[in-house]
Amino acid sequence: MTDHTARPTRAHRRPPGGRRRTALGTLAGLVLIALIAGTGLALDRTDTAPGTRRTSAAALPFDLPSPHVLRDSPHLVFAHYFPPYPLSLDNQPAEDDYYARNYLTPRGEQGRHASYGGLLRDRPLPVPPADGDWQLANLEREVRTARDAGLDGFTVDILSLTGVNRERVGLLLQAAHRVDPGFRIVLMPDMASLHTDPGTLADQLALLAASPSAYRLADGRLVVSPFKAEAQDPAWWSQVMARLRDHGIATALVPVFLDFRANAERFAPISHAFSSWGNRSYTRQNNVPGDIRLAHSLGKKWMQAVSVQDARPDQGVYDEAGNTATLRSTWNHAISDGADWVQLTTWNDYSEGSQFAPSLHNGHTYLDISSYYLTRFKTGTWPRIVRDTVYVTSRVQFTDTGAASLQPQLMRPRPGTAPPRDQVELLTFLTAPATVAARVGTTPHTYRAPVGVHAQHLPLDSGRTEVVVRRAGGTVAAVTTRFPVRRTVTVQDLQYYAVSSRR
């Protein structure tokens, strides 16, 4: 059964010109200062020249192949970039910026998000204010981060044809070219948001296609990958492609469907490849092998959705991701079922809680884990583990929390998702077997972990989780979660938080 997970249209929320401060906004900023201080995630105050690599080898449990090796692969990995949530919205210090004052507090934006406890539960890893063209500089930073994790590029969500989100799409193309001319930007018209005609859309795509970073195939065709492509029929898309031909642009259409099976055959004559937005629960991936077989039987490539999790306070729904089970399952399907491309869904849609990008609550963990699977997907060989590493994921509250004092409307599990669970996961990458000692709250646990990659699940408990990995009498890895688990909460937050022993 093809998944029909909906993805909402989101109107842009432009920060106002002024910097009006509220008491609650200031409090949120003070809390954020404390959280940043307690995470060990220092604000990055350095920059790196284009063409250099920023990721320290010691940050990963394996040695990431060189960009030349990874880009020599026919298998491509993109991440879905969502323009409303760049690294900064107003170039202010993190403790008092727009995220802190308006998105992370229930009373932000004049209380418009009060019923669901605030728009967001996490935010991009804070960056300091910058001089000059700070928006471009921050986008360049994001391109470097993605490139250094092994990604080939971004699929950029085109939410509108005018306004600030459209401007960010143009800036992202510029940033990619400045940082790395080989980093590719796939144009993705969002048909859940765009209400336009074929000619107008084609004319705007032609303007964006003038950038050398707009992704083209080796034969010169511009890759256009509309989200919810079935919102318009193939004849409508044929008009878009014809208008692009008038601009001298041949098109490789890669539609992303919410319902792939219902649309595959009718879109096949005009498509280069297919994709589905996918599902965010590890128990609902059984359709993937059949989807890929169908795409290949129609002579099309397949772009597989790989995801971490999904929690949407404003829609009152969340998926049970099972710690990293969804992440590992979706990657393994892409590898074993023969996907041609991968789309990480998403890089930075914090309103859906689906972010891979480095964030305040997750650091680089989900991106680092993905680099391991990405290496296998691109090279055909699992990378050798050379540094003992442990990743810990857990929620910071229990799924049966029946009340949140500042949130009247709670999220519920999405129908059909995996059963909600309260567990801590210890995901170890070990060079040899070792003993793992963990304390979850006040409860101790000890077990023997094997060489390689291993996931161990322990019951969630209040407080922090401490993990120490020992071998031959010495400690080879250790980590403590940054955020404690609490029974009583003010807002509901059912995202999985993550921490790495190597960052």
Side-chain angles (χ1 to χ4, degrees):
M1 179 65 68
T2 300
D3 175 65
H4 296 174
T5 300
R7 185 170 183 277
T9 301
R10 298 195 181 278
H12 171 68
R13 303 169 175 95
R14 179 188 287 273
R19 294 188 59 219
R20 187 177 63 164
R21 301 169 63 163
T22 64
L24 188 53
T26 303
L27 176 60
L30 293 174
V31 171
L32 181 60
I33 293 174
L35 290 178
I36 295 172
T39 62
L41 298 173
L43 296 184
D44 185 355
R45 299 185 181 276
T46 62
D47 207 352
T48 302
T52 61
R53 294 180 62 80
R54 299 189 59 190
T55 301
S56 167
L60 299 174
F62 65 100
D63 292 328
L64 187 69
S66 70
H68 173 74
V69 170
L70 293 178
R71 287 185 178 172
D72 195 45
S73 171
H75 294 131
L76 303 179
V77 179
F78 302 99
H80 183 86
Y81 192 92
F82 197 57
Y85 304 121
L87 293 181
S88 176
L89 289 161
D90 54 4
N91 201 35
Q92 297 299 323
E95 64 271 17
D96 191 33
D97 68 358
Y98 201 83
Y99 282 108
R101 290 181 290 114
N102 287 293
Y103 284 172
L104 295 170
T105 169
R107 295 185 183 176
E109 295 195 318
Q110 293 77 52
R112 65 185 295 182
H113 312 298
S115 63
Y116 42 86
L119 179 63
L120 308 182
R121 298 297 183 267
D122 197 5
R123 63 168 295 157
L125 199 59
V127 294
D131 296 328
D133 192 344
W134 58 271
Q135 296 185 77
L136 180 60
N138 284 345
L139 287 168
E140 290 176 359
R141 188 188 301 262
E142 292 197 83
V143 169
R144 291 189 191 101
T145 300
R147 178 203 61 188
D148 292 352
L151 274 64
D152 294 287
F154 287 136
T155 55
V156 62
D157 195 314
I158 303 174
L159 286 161
S160 60
L161 302 182
T162 60
V164 68
N165 281 327
R166 167 60 177 79
E167 293 167 5
R168 285 197 187 116
V169 173
L171 279 177
L172 181 62
L173 286 160
Q174 183 180 348
H177 185 61
R178 285 167 58 98
V179 169
D180 185 346
F183 193 83
R184 304 152 180 176
I185 305 297
V186 176
L187 304 180
M188 181 170 283
D190 191 325
M191 303 313 294
S193 295
L194 294 176
H195 304 285
T196 186
D197 61 89
T200 300
L201 177 59
D203 291 346
Q204 288 294 314
L205 291 174
L207 291 173
L208 294 169
S211 168
S213 289
Y215 179 42
R216 286 175 166 80
L217 302 179
D219 61 11
R221 284 182 292 165
L222 176 73
V223 177
V224 177
S225 183
F227 168 78
K228 196 181 179 182
E230 67 263 48
Q232 300 291 347
D233 62 26
W236 194 92
W237 287 109
S238 294
Q239 293 180 58
V240 172
M241 296 165 72
R243 183 62 168 261
L244 283 169
R245 281 196 298 272
D246 292 341
H247 288 281
I249 300 171
T251 306
L253 192 71
V254 183
V256 178
F257 299 109
L258 296 186
D259 190 342
F260 168 61
R261 299 284 179 92
N263 293 284
E265 292 192 5
R266 70 190 190 109
F267 272 80
I270 64 169
S271 299
H272 170 74
F274 286 138
S275 185
S276 171
W277 189 244
N279 191 279
R280 308 294 176 264
S281 179
Y282 63 99
T283 59
R284 298 190 63 193
Q285 306 301 323
N286 292 335
N287 63 298
V288 174
D291 286 352
I292 297 177
R293 285 195 301 269
L294 176 56
H296 288 169
S297 73
L298 293 170
K300 311 302 172 186
K301 293 182 181 294
W302 178 261
M303 181 167 68
Q304 175 60 34
V306 168
S307 56
V308 176
Q309 57 187 330
D310 195 312
R312 311 183 186 190
D314 63 340
Q315 296 183 53
V317 67
Y318 73 96
D319 280 288
E320 177 51 64
N323 300 82
T324 68
T326 295
L327 175 61
R328 291 180 286 114
S329 175
T330 50
W331 262 119
N332 281 324
H333 273 292
I335 292 166
S336 63
D337 297 333
D340 303 283
W341 299 352
V342 156
Q343 179 180 206
L344 305 183
T345 52
T346 63
W347 179 256
N348 64 332
D349 192 345
Y350 292 89
S351 57
E352 295 184 357
S354 56
Q355 62 275 3
F356 278 80
S359 73
L360 182 64
H361 292 163
N362 303 318
H364 289 71
T365 294
Y366 294 130
L367 196 57
D368 287 352
I369 294 172
S370 286
S371 291
Y372 178 78
Y373 290 91
L374 174 151
T375 300
R376 169 61 178 84
F377 179 68
K378 283 180 158 290
T379 68
T381 302
W382 289 106
R384 185 168 67 93
I385 297 170
V386 295
R387 284 173 287 274
D388 296 296
T389 309
V390 57
Y391 300 103
V392 180
T393 56
S394 74
R395 292 191 171 101
V396 294
Q397 56 190 245
F398 296 84
T399 57
D400 63 357
T401 298
S405 59
L406 297 179
Q407 182 177 344
Q409 301 175 14
L410 299 182
M411 291 183 291
R412 305 296 180 191
R414 188 188 304 277
T417 194
R421 72 188 199 188
D422 294 324
Q423 293 185 344
V424 177
E425 180 188 274
L426 281 55
L427 185 66
T428 49
F429 287 66
L430 299 182
T431 60
T435 299
V436 180
R439 182 177 296 276
V440 182
T442 59
T443 305
H445 304 268
T446 303
Y447 66 94
R448 189 75 173 165
V451 64
V453 181
H454 175 74
Q456 184 79 17
H457 297 103
L458 305 172
L460 189 66
D461 204 351
S462 298
R464 288 183 169 85
T465 295
E466 302 174 8
V467 182
V468 178
V469 183
R470 296 186 177 93
R471 185 187 303 117
T475 296
V476 297
V479 68
T480 300
T481 56
R482 300 170 179 133
F483 302 88
V485 179
R486 293 186 170 92
R487 283 283 182 186
T488 303
V489 299
T490 57
V491 297
Q492 186 192 39
D493 183 358
L494 294 182
Q495 293 183 79
Y496 282 98
Y497 286 41
V499 66
S500 166
S501 65
R502 303 210 66 84
R503 288 191 187 260

